[in-house]
């Protein structure tokens, strides 16, 4: 693309995609089934019904290529969608790279991240099924904020268990959740058997997403009018996030570019899948050929160092067994600042796509990530959340490689959230007190030792 210089590529409201894309319809083989932890047989809809409404269970297993977005959901999406795609001219210039870098900015949503794309859909389907209350876990607090906002839209009560380490580090997330009308507890808590068991073993437990999930699931399973909502990992969550990639495809087409490299940060995999899967569809159809690269924290290296095995989604072992890249459900990562990337497992769909060789993965230390985040803030004017600094570190790495080779590659990433409530992490980086701890092979071995035998 030459000539006129475009920085912000927008779409009209009428161009918001009308359907979500299900990558499972286009893969050469289906992902392995989810298993019942007792019988080790594939789970059926009845097994999941205590936790999720039937519409979401159907989306979890559908093989249809597209799912229509309900009007009620589109109506809420219009508050911030379509989200802008930016060309990072200033970052490119600072790096001296011939690469063209684009970022799809999801920080414009009410929660400041991509999470409302699925929170609104999940709240809608639960409300439509007559549910009164949703329980959930949250790490950094983004998902809890998104679900509290979404529940407010559909008159649902929202109850959130937040990982203790983040609850203490990020008090403003708690206040934001409460402002949207949610109720929030630090996890592990005394309110559940799962939380009490962890506290009995370690009264100072920093918590983990796996523990918080156990608590939220326990409460949902015990109450008829209450269901559980998960902010990542599951197929229906990834499905809802594909609105990001569908918009980005339209936006890049407007400037006549196709990506050579797509990078995204992966916690459970939802923002990465949301951006990448519509492009993977194009790749599988032979219409483009981007390299697709997941970026994870070196402190929680699920894809690059985990095993591909059946494991529980939570710590207490209450969820069905999913075949995924995992560090083991007992794994409690260091309390790094990227709270949203501290999950022991990886989405089964992303794990499967990785096993098929359709995507790559790299791990980055948090100081390299924050260096990229600060560089990005000073050039592009947006302070990124700690999670997408991982994607930015990989963007910078790729752009500098282009500088060496002279290749004008097109790099696309998801800037999946802003870091306005994560400034303490920047404070630690700027003060030079941020530490990088590498996992030892012993740590990894110990965590994987607790994997269920299937
Ligand atoms: C939750 C969150 C993540 C991690 O979740 P994914 O499902 O991997 O996207 C990453 N970035 C931000 C800003 C988040 O809120």
């Amino acid at each position: 693309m030459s000539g006129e210089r475009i920085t912000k590529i927008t779409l009209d409201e009428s161009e918001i995609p009308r359907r979500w894309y299900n990558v499972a319809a286009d893969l050469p083989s289906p992902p392995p089934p989810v298993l019942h932890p007792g019988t080790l047989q594939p789970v059926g809809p009845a097994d999941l019904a205590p936790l999720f409404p039937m519409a979401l269970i159907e989306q979890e297993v559908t093989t249809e290529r597209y799912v229509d977005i309900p009007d009620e959901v589109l109506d809420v999406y219009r508050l911030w969608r379509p989200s802008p795609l930016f060309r990072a001219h200033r970052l490119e210039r600072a790096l001296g790279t011939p690469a063209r870098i684009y970022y799809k900015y999801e920080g414009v949503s009410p929660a400041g991240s991509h999470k409302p794309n699925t929170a609104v859909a999940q709240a809608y389907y639960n409300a439509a099924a007559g549910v009164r209350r949703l329980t959930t876990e949250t790490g950094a607090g983004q998902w809890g904020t998104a679900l509290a906002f979404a529940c407010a839209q559909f008159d649902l009560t929202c109850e959130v268990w937040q990982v203790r380490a983040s609850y203490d580090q990020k008090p403003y997330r708690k206040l934001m959740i409460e402002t949207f009308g949610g109720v929030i507890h630090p996890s592990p808590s005394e309110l559940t058997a799962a939380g009490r068991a962890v506290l009995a073993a370690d009264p100072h437990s920093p918590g983990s997403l796996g523990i918080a999930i156990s608590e939220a699931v326990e409460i949902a399973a015990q109450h008829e009018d209450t269901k559980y909502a998960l902010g990542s990992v599951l197929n229906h969550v990834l499905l809802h996030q594909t609105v990001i990639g569908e918009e980005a495809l339209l936006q890049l087409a407007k400037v006549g570019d196709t990506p050579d490299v797509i990078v995204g940060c992966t916690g459970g995999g939802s923002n990465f899948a949301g951006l990448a899967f519509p492009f993977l569809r194009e790749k599988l159809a032979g219409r483009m050929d981007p390299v697709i690269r997941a970026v994870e924290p070196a402190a929680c290296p699920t894809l690059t160092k985990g095993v591909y095995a059946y494991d529980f989604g939570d710590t207490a072992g209450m969820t069905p067994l999913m075949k995924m890249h995992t560090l083991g459900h007992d794994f409690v990562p260091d309390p790094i600042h990227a709270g949203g990337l501290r999950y022991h497992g990886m989405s089964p769909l992303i794990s499967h796509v990785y096993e098929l060789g359709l995507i790559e993965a790299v791990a980055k230390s948090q100081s390299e990530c924050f260096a990229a985040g600060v560089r990005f803030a000073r050039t592009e004017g947006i302070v990124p959340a700690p999670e997408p600094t991982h994607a930015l570190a990989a963007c910078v790495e790729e752009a500098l490689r282009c500088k060496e080779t002279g290749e004008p590659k097109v790099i696309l990433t998801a800037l999946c959230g802003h870091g306005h409530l994560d400034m303490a992490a920047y404070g630690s980086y700027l003060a030079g007190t941020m530490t990088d701890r590498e996992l030892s092979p012993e740590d990894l071995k110990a965590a994987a030792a607790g994997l269920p035998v299937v």
Side-chain angles (χ1 to χ4, degrees):
M1 172 81 192
S2 59
E4 190 184 350
R5 176 172 152 130
I6 297 176
T7 295
K8 186 180 182 184
I9 306 144
T10 54
L11 296 172
D12 289 336
E13 208 172 285
S14 62
E15 292 175 282
I16 300 177
R18 297 287 157 142
R19 40 191 208 171
W20 295 301
Y21 168 61
N22 174 25
V23 77
D26 289 324
L27 293 178
S29 65
V34 171
L35 303 182
H36 188 285
T39 65
L40 299 185
Q41 292 303 305
V43 295
D47 297 314
L48 298 174
L51 294 185
F52 303 107
M54 207 42 79
L56 291 176
I57 293 172
E58 279 163 13
Q59 291 180 4
E60 194 57 27
V61 297
T62 184
T63 52
E64 293 292 320
R65 183 167 287 115
Y66 293 101
V67 174
D68 287 335
I69 304 177
D71 286 343
E72 293 85 345
V73 174
L74 277 173
D75 216 43
V76 185
Y77 276 2
R78 284 191 192 96
L79 287 173
W80 74 96
R81 307 214 69 85
S83 69
L85 179 76
F86 287 93
R87 169 86 186 270
H89 291 293
R90 289 165 181 78
L91 177 62
E92 292 168 17
R93 198 191 309 132
L95 295 171
T97 179
R100 301 198 287 284
I101 304 173
Y102 291 92
Y103 57 95
K104 179 77 167 149
Y105 186 41
E106 291 294 309
V108 292
S109 83
S113 75
H114 63 291
K115 296 279 185 1
N117 295 330
T118 184
V120 170
Q122 293 190 47
Y124 164 74
Y125 288 114
N126 274 287
V131 172
R132 305 293 310 154
R133 175 172 67 156
L134 286 180
T135 62
T136 197
E137 75 294 332
T138 197
Q142 286 277 12
W143 169 242
T145 310
L147 195 69
F149 158 73
C151 284
Q153 294 295 315
F154 296 102
D155 284 330
L156 294 168
T157 300
C158 180
E159 202 161 335
V160 180
W161 275 261
Q162 182 172 25
V163 176
R164 177 97 231 178
S166 297
Y167 184 92
D168 293 337
Q169 272 173 16
K170 301 181 178 180
Y172 291 123
R173 276 286 164 201
K174 167 179 186 286
L175 293 172
M176 202 164 167
I177 288 168
E178 289 172 344
T179 301
F180 282 135
V183 177
I184 183 163
H185 314 289
S187 168
S189 76
E190 294 285 352
L191 298 167
T192 65
R196 287 190 294 271
V198 174
L199 288 173
D202 176 9
H204 302 294
S205 167
S208 70
L209 277 173
I211 296 167
I213 293 172
S214 296
E215 296 202 84
V217 165
E218 183 180 321
I219 297 294
Q222 286 167 352
H223 296 86
E224 194 64 37
D225 66 346
T226 303
K227 295 216 185 286
Y228 165 71
L230 189 61
S232 186
V233 178
L234 299 180
N235 299 343
H236 68 267
V237 179
L238 274 53
L239 174 82
H240 301 152
Q241 293 294 355
T242 59
V243 66
I244 301 172
E246 294 289 12
E247 284 181 5
L249 269 167
L250 297 175
Q251 287 162 312
L252 279 178
K254 284 200 171 185
V255 291
D257 261 338
T258 48
D260 297 304
V261 184
I262 299 174
V263 294
C265 67
T266 45
S270 74
N271 87 85
F272 173 73
L275 178 70
F277 281 178
F279 289 89
L280 182 54
R281 172 189 64 215
E282 300 303 301
K283 181 176 168 129
L284 290 167
R287 289 187 285 265
M288 55 177 74
D289 194 23
V291 167
I292 304 177
R293 187 174 299 142
V295 191
E296 57 188 13
C300 193
T302 330
L303 283 171
T304 53
K305 298 243 175 96
V307 291
Y308 185 50
Y310 273 100
D311 196 7
F312 295 105
D314 69 326
T315 301
M318 297 195 296
T319 70
L321 292 167
M322 296 177 286
K323 182 121 189 229
M324 60 183 177
H325 275 265
T326 178
L327 297 167
H329 62 279
D330 298 326
F331 181 72
V332 178
D334 280 344
I336 54 166
H337 292 284
L341 306 184
R342 291 176 73 241
Y343 184 59
H344 68 270
M346 178 53 59
S347 139
L349 203 45
I350 300 239
S351 299
H352 179 60
V353 165
Y354 183 65
E355 286 298 307
L356 290 172
L358 298 172
I359 63 169
E360 313 177 342
V362 293
K364 297 269 175 213
S365 73
Q366 67 175 346
S367 35
E368 179 181 353
C369 296
F370 274 85
V374 167
R375 189 168 220 170
F376 186 84
R378 290 178 187 174
T379 49
E380 295 297 314
I382 297 171
V383 178
E387 294 84 0
T389 64
H390 291 72
L392 293 172
C395 273
V396 167
E397 181 178 50
E398 187 68 37
L400 292 177
R401 215 176 278 145
C402 290
K403 184 177 177 174
E404 265 170 38
T405 62
E407 284 174 288
K409 284 189 186 171
V410 174
I411 304 170
L412 171 66
T413 194
L415 185 60
C416 54
H418 67 63
H420 297 177
L421 299 184
D422 304 291
M423 295 317 296
Y426 281 88
S428 152
Y429 174 75
L430 295 170
T433 56
M434 185 170 275
T435 53
D436 290 321
R437 271 174 289 180
E438 279 294 318
L439 281 172
S440 69
E442 292 73 42
D443 292 338
L444 288 166
K445 225 169 126 186
L451 283 173
V453 181
V454 175

